[in-house]
């Protein structure tokens, strides 16, 4: 799902022709400050409930995101924006979590004028235009944060982002009180990436082979390995990035590969959302249709829960 990107009060001449279809006119903002606690739409308890009931098999992500977001929202004077980097294979819940976070911060979620989703392959497709993209990205962020201090920016497919492009936003993520008269300290930046999925899976598999529960994996087991691996991964979008070098990413959040039982949970949740009666026979059939890896052990779903919705349509 892709949200429209607001151009705030910037002239159309700043944007390339291909981007015009994504722009929506800015709403009227009064002369008074527009930060009316719009970013505090739901309580931490509501966020906790959403994560517990809708996110499966991700104890680390659930714990880190809840604590990080709650602490950030309760801090009346943060020293920098909250920056989260979510990593794991497709279908493990990264996009889903970003939607939960967006909706808990702004009632309309991804449809809100204060939530902005960038998809690397859609919005930044041409490597030869990196400099242009960097300039535009700075202008888009500056314009929107000036309209709403609690703006949320989500960058999807970070592993497909051209090297160096994301460093354009480094000044906005740093510990500056203001940049050109604008404070970015109440904004939130979320990066979504498949990069590091192999490292996360290896750790989960090592725990499984050692007879340990996946819930025994702690953030300290993965975060250092993940940040270093992403920093040195030429396909991560954060390769040798100043965002990592300057420790501007607050949390590297690992999303573990999903097991058979988690896929069944996803099927039940999807049936419930459609108003269906939970039929365990259908739940089993849908889960059995998924493919699992490694080849011998067959522990983890290779697509997570990504195709559950479409597979359920056939039953």
């Amino acid at each position: 799902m892709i949200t429209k990107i607001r151009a705030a009060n910037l002239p159309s001449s700043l944007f390339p022709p291909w981007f015009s279809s994504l722009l929506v006119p800015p709403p009227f903002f009064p002369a008074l400050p527009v930060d009316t606690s719009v970013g505090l739409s739901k309580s931490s308890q509501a966020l906790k409930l959403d994560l517990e009931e809708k996110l499966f098999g991700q104890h680390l992500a659930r714990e880190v995101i809840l604590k990080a977001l709650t602490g950030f929202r309760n801090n009346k004077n943060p020293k920098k924006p909250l920056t989260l980097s979510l990593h794991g294979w497709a279908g493990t819940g990264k996009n889903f979590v970003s939607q939960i976070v967006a909706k808990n911060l702004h009632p309309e979620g991804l449809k809100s004028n204060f939530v902005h989703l960038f998809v690397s392959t859609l919005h930044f497709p041409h490597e030869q235009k990196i400099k242009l993209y960097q300039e535009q990205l700075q202008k888009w962020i500056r314009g929107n944060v000036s309209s709403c201090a609690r703006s949320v920016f989500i960058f999807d497919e970070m592993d497909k982002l051209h090297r160096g492009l994301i460093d354009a936003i480094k000044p906005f993520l740093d510990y500056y009180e203001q940049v050109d008269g604008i404070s970015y300290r109440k904004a939130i930046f979320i990066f979504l990436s498949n990069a590091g999925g192999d490292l996360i899976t290896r750790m989960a598999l090592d725990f499984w082979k050692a007879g340990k529960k996946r819930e025994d994996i702690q953030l300290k087991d993965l975060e250092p390995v993940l940040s270093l691996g992403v920093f040195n991964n030429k396909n991560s979008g954060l390769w040798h990035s100043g965002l990592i070098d300057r420790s501007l990413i607050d949390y590297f959040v690992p999303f573990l590969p999903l097991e058979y039982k988690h896929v069944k949970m996803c099927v039940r949740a999807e049936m419930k959302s459609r108003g269906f009666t939970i039929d365990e026979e259908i739940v089993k059939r849908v889960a059995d249709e998924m493919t699992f890896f490694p080849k011998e052990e067959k522990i983890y779903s290779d697509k997570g829960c990504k195709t559950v919705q479409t597979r359920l349509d056939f039953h």
Side-chain angles (χ1 to χ4, degrees):
M1 181 178 182
I2 298 172
T3 186
K4 295 278 189 176
I5 298 178
R6 290 181 47 256
N9 297 315
L10 303 176
S12 60
S13 60
L14 292 175
F15 303 94
W18 58 264
F19 199 71
S20 60
S21 63
L22 297 173
L23 300 179
V24 294
F28 170 76
F29 289 108
L32 295 173
V34 297
D35 180 19
T36 56
S37 295
V38 66
L40 302 175
S41 70
K42 290 189 177 183
S43 68
S44 295
Q45 188 60 35
L47 175 61
K48 181 175 184 290
L49 196 61
D50 277 347
L51 292 172
E52 286 178 350
E53 292 186 350
K54 301 175 182 178
L55 181 66
F56 307 119
Q58 304 298 352
H59 68 284
L60 291 175
R62 188 165 58 237
E63 179 183 352
V64 173
I65 289 169
L66 180 62
K67 287 184 177 179
L69 207 60
T70 300
F72 186 72
R73 293 196 297 189
N74 290 340
N75 187 349
K76 295 182 179 179
N77 186 31
K79 300 302 181 185
K80 67 177 292 297
L82 177 63
T83 308
L84 306 172
S85 193
L86 280 48
H87 297 266
W89 291 133
T92 52
K94 302 183 301 298
N95 276 280
F96 188 55
V97 163
S98 70
Q99 292 174 33
I100 290 176
V101 169
K103 198 166 185 61
N104 271 267
L105 291 168
H106 300 282
E108 295 183 0
L110 290 179
K111 295 179 181 178
S112 169
N113 285 330
F114 308 118
V115 178
H116 313 277
L117 173 65
F118 298 91
V119 182
S120 297
T121 52
L122 175 64
H123 298 118
F124 314 111
H126 306 297
E127 188 172 8
Q128 66 271 26
K129 293 186 177 181
I130 287 180
K131 291 297 182 183
L132 176 62
Y133 295 150
Q134 288 180 321
E135 293 173 7
Q136 291 167 344
L137 190 54
Q138 289 181 339
K139 291 182 175 72
W140 298 331
I141 292 174
R142 185 182 301 119
N144 284 294
V145 173
S146 67
S147 296
C148 175
R150 294 187 183 275
S151 292
V152 178
F153 300 93
I154 301 169
F155 293 81
D156 195 9
E157 298 184 347
M158 278 294 294
D159 46 302
K160 297 180 176 66
L161 192 68
H162 302 300
R163 300 177 201 170
L165 198 160
I166 200 64
D167 279 1
I169 70 171
K170 177 179 168 293
F172 307 142
L173 272 57
D174 217 323
Y175 289 81
Y176 301 122
E177 187 171 352
Q178 290 188 344
V179 178
D180 293 333
I182 300 172
S183 173
Y184 297 86
R185 291 181 167 185
K186 292 183 179 180
I188 294 178
F189 294 82
I190 303 174
F191 304 134
L192 312 178
S193 177
N194 289 350
D198 54 338
L199 301 174
I200 297 168
T201 298
R202 191 180 308 150
M203 177 70 71
L205 193 56
D206 286 345
F207 267 65
W208 182 85
K209 289 180 177 178
K212 300 178 182 178
K213 296 186 296 184
R214 64 190 282 128
E215 289 77 17
D216 292 335
I217 301 175
Q218 299 180 40
L219 187 64
K220 66 180 181 180
D221 297 320
L222 272 170
E223 194 173 33
V225 177
L226 193 54
S227 62
L228 182 61
V230 170
F231 183 76
N232 290 320
N233 185 341
K234 291 184 178 181
N235 298 315
S236 75
L238 289 168
W239 180 71
H240 287 190
S241 172
L243 274 60
I244 298 179
D245 199 38
R246 287 273 297 163
S247 300
L248 299 180
I249 297 177
D250 299 300
Y251 295 98
F252 287 87
V253 186
F255 280 68
L256 303 176
L258 298 181
E259 300 174 11
Y260 181 79
K261 63 181 179 181
H262 303 125
V263 174
K264 292 177 74 173
M265 290 176 172
C266 291
V267 178
R268 293 189 191 101
E270 181 60 24
M271 294 181 77
K272 183 179 178 181
S273 72
R274 297 186 187 190
F276 296 168
T277 300
I278 305 300
D279 185 328
E280 288 301 327
E281 181 59 33
I282 293 178
V283 170
K284 184 178 185 302
R285 287 209 303 263
V286 173
D288 287 346
E289 289 176 1
M290 309 292 278
T291 54
F292 293 81
F293 72 96
K295 187 175 181 180
E296 297 299 324
E297 295 90 343
K298 295 186 177 181
I299 309 166
Y300 306 118
S301 169
D302 62 357
K303 293 184 178 66
C305 284
K306 201 173 186 68
T307 60
V308 161
Q309 290 183 349
T310 53
R311 289 180 184 274
L312 187 57
D313 291 338
F314 290 94
H315 294 275

